[in-house]
Amino acid sequence: MKKIPRREALEILTVGAAGALGSSARAEETTTAPVDPVLATAPLDFPWPTADPFLFCAHHDDRYPAGNGVQGPVSSLEGRNLGQDFTIKDGWRMYHGETVPGFPEHPHRGFETVTVVQKGLVDHSDSLGAVGRYGHGDVQWMTAGSGLNHSEMFPLVHADRPNHLELFQVWLNLPRRSKMVAPHFKMFWRDQVGRSVSQDAAGGTTEVSVIAGQLGDARSPSPPPDSWAAQADSDVAIWTIDMEPGAIWELPPARAGSNRTIYFHAGSTLKVGPHEVASGHLVELRPDVAVPLVAGAQAARVLLLQGRPIGEPVARHGPFVMTTQDEIRQTIRDYQRTQFGGWPWSRPDPVHAREEGRFARHADGKVERPT
């Protein structure tokens, strides 16, 4: 392939959307200005703001030290607010964990969690008796539905070197009709996640992991059956986009009426249509137009969340998401009465053996492992 300068490649991409006009005479006839795809930008905080049908997105990026004998940090925990450690100190946080970092036993009702683990491992346990260990590109998609308890711990399995954990947890709402469905979870092992790799005219590579939705021939595994994403017209997309320095890539249009946001969380700059955006910002996009993206001097890493709004009221109380405050009050009563099935494990923060590989054991006893 003949390589051309990136400036020329960008000009080709921009003009190409309007028909790749070749002559100045033809260009003068074009009077319609390009549509600006950017609706708004905002700095990222913790957690990241989202739009219907999403409720929440947390980006965890913790540079943990080597692990000790119980897979917690070998470093001292002195001075940390154990149980509520959300302040980055020495590059990492314990979150709600007191021995192993993570989130010990806690309940959910009325929505779904999609946990995309880029680096490191997560140990899952829940009140249905299911357990698992996943990471290094795996995804867990869990429909909380009528309610369950689960724990999400971050075992530091490497005793001889640091343990880097990076993950996104996305909360996807359920429509009212599905809020009380039976709990369910699926594993998308990394080799099952759809991937699209493309090069621009100058050879710059962009790789997209398709966790939900479809991009060309790259398609995600099927979401759980009661998910909003399982509806044919939901237009739900969850993609991670990794662009080499200077790479050029065009985000294709989605359906009109969907909400579409990209989260530029690592890199130097990203050109989004005519706008240059600094790292650490979200960009709300028009859904129905193509969006040229150009990475800056550093590789650019982006998360995309997109979907048709559910368009129902949202009532929230901590880990419970319903449509009315009466439903929230009923949820609290239900949890006080039933504990959503209780907790079958001997401790609130269970982890698996250090040498255990990636696996999932479902509530029916079925065991699966990545190929």
Side-chain angles (χ1 to χ4, degrees):
M1 177 188 296
K2 178 183 177 182
K3 291 193 174 183
I4 61 176
R6 293 194 183 281
R7 182 182 297 274
E8 184 178 343
L10 179 56
E11 290 173 355
I12 290 172
L13 177 62
T14 304
V15 176
L21 303 179
S23 68
S24 58
R26 178 74 179 277
E28 290 172 358
E29 296 172 7
T30 304
T31 58
T32 303
V35 175
D36 188 341
V38 174
L39 298 176
T41 64
L44 295 177
D45 204 343
F46 185 89
W48 295 347
T50 57
D52 187 4
F54 300 98
L55 300 162
F56 171 105
C57 181
H59 179 219
H60 301 273
D61 189 1
D62 293 277
R63 310 301 175 101
Y64 291 111
N68 60 23
V70 294
Q71 300 178 75
V74 71
S75 303
S76 171
L77 299 179
E78 189 72 27
R80 291 183 178 270
N81 184 23
L82 292 181
Q84 291 286 344
D85 181 26
F86 283 79
T87 301
I88 295 179
K89 179 184 176 184
D90 301 326
W92 51 277
R93 298 159 283 198
M94 288 292 289
Y95 301 103
H96 294 313
E98 298 189 10
T99 304
V100 176
F103 296 84
E105 175 196 357
H106 58 282
H108 288 307
R109 172 182 275 186
F111 63 99
E112 300 184 283
T113 60
V114 184
T115 307
V116 183
V117 185
Q118 305 283 78
K119 299 175 183 177
L121 294 167
V122 176
D123 279 0
H124 165 91
S125 304
D126 66 39
S127 54
L128 303 178
V131 294
R133 169 172 283 178
Y134 60 98
H136 305 309
D138 300 329
V139 177
Q140 186 201 64
W141 193 313
M142 187 183 78
T143 305
S146 61
L148 84 168
N149 296 306
H150 76 151
S151 67
E152 303 158 288
M153 306 308 299
F154 309 146
L156 308 185
V157 298
H158 300 302
D160 58 347
R161 62 184 189 272
N163 293 267
H164 185 185
L165 175 84
E166 184 184 10
L167 65 83
F168 305 102
Q169 184 164 96
V170 178
W171 289 16
L172 176 62
N173 201 9
L174 288 167
R176 185 173 190 174
R177 66 178 182 271
S178 302
K179 286 190 175 293
M180 295 298 287
V181 299
H184 181 87
F185 85 86
K186 289 188 69 172
M187 291 304 310
F188 298 177
W189 304 113
R190 67 169 175 248
D191 292 337
Q192 298 172 324
V193 173
R195 280 185 172 79
S196 171
V197 180
S198 59
Q199 285 191 330
D200 61 34
T205 299
T206 297
E207 180 172 349
V208 182
S209 294
V210 181
I211 293 123
Q214 183 174 1
L215 174 60
D217 294 332
R219 181 187 294 271
S220 72
S222 298
D226 294 299
S227 174
W228 179 246
Q231 306 300 308
D233 60 349
S234 70
D235 202 28
V236 170
I238 303 174
W239 301 348
T240 62
I241 304 168
D242 293 281
M243 305 178 69
E244 289 183 343
I248 301 169
W249 183 73
E250 186 173 84
L251 176 65
R255 296 190 183 198
S258 291
N259 286 324
R260 185 181 235 192
T261 305
I262 58 173
Y263 301 83
F264 175 34
H265 60 90
S268 52
T269 60
L270 180 70
K271 194 169 184 183
V272 184
H275 304 271
E276 187 167 87
V277 180
S279 181
H281 284 76
L282 66 83
V283 184
E284 182 185 347
L285 298 172
R286 280 193 54 160
D288 54 347
V289 297
V291 185
L293 301 178
V294 185
Q298 300 176 11
R301 301 183 61 213
V302 176
L303 175 72
L304 175 140
L305 299 180
Q306 167 193 298
R308 181 167 66 85
I310 293 173
E312 296 177 348
V314 174
R316 303 176 64 163
H317 181 80
F320 307 137
V321 182
M322 305 301 287
T323 54
T324 68
Q325 288 301 319
D326 282 345
E327 292 171 346
I328 289 290
R329 287 188 281 270
Q330 183 61 53
T331 295
I332 294 171
R333 290 193 292 269
D334 290 347
Y335 182 65
Q336 291 172 338
R337 186 180 73 255
T338 69
Q339 297 296 296
F340 291 166
W343 190 245
W345 313 106
S346 61
R347 53 184 298 166
D349 58 348
V351 294
H352 308 304
R354 185 189 299 276
E355 63 276 9
E356 181 64 76
R358 292 148 54 224
F359 78 102
R361 189 181 77 218
H362 295 265
D364 61 2
K366 176 186 175 183
V367 176
E368 59 172 311
R369 294 184 183 272
T371 55

